[in-house]
């Protein structure tokens, strides 16, 4: 039968059980120009605007 060689410290045990290492859902914000969801501090993929300025020119349909 396997037996641990040393006692696991409370700090190590609690670090393993904590929520620190768990993944969180990505943050989203709405684009001020078109209203689409986008990641913060990034250019909007649908309209190409960032902070009210056009960064990427979109092709006309």
């Amino acid at each position: 039968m396997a037996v641990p060689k040393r006692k696991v410290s409370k700090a190590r045990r609690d670090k393993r059980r904590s929520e620190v290492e768990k993944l969180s859902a990505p943050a989203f914000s709405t684009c001020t120009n078109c209203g689409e969801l986008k990641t913060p501090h990034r250019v909007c993929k649908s309209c190409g605007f960032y902070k009210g300025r056009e960064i990427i020119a979109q092709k006309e349909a």
Side-chain angles (χ1 to χ4, degrees):
M1 194 164 150
V3 178
K5 195 164 250 187
R6 287 180 183 81
K7 177 181 176 181
V8 176
S9 69
K10 292 174 192 166
R12 184 176 286 271
R13 177 199 66 201
D14 292 345
K15 268 191 256 182
R16 186 179 65 242
R17 292 178 182 175
S18 73
E19 295 292 320
V20 173
E21 297 296 322
K22 305 291 191 288
L23 291 175
S24 59
F28 286 106
S29 61
T30 55
C31 177
T32 55
N33 189 48
C34 66
E36 290 282 326
L37 284 177
K38 67 176 194 74
T39 53
H41 308 287
R42 302 287 190 279
V43 176
C44 180
K45 291 182 179 180
S46 63
C47 67
F49 273 71
Y50 178 67
K51 288 190 176 180
R53 295 181 295 172
E54 186 176 16
I55 306 298
I56 301 170
Q58 296 292 324
K59 296 177 184 175
E60 298 282 331

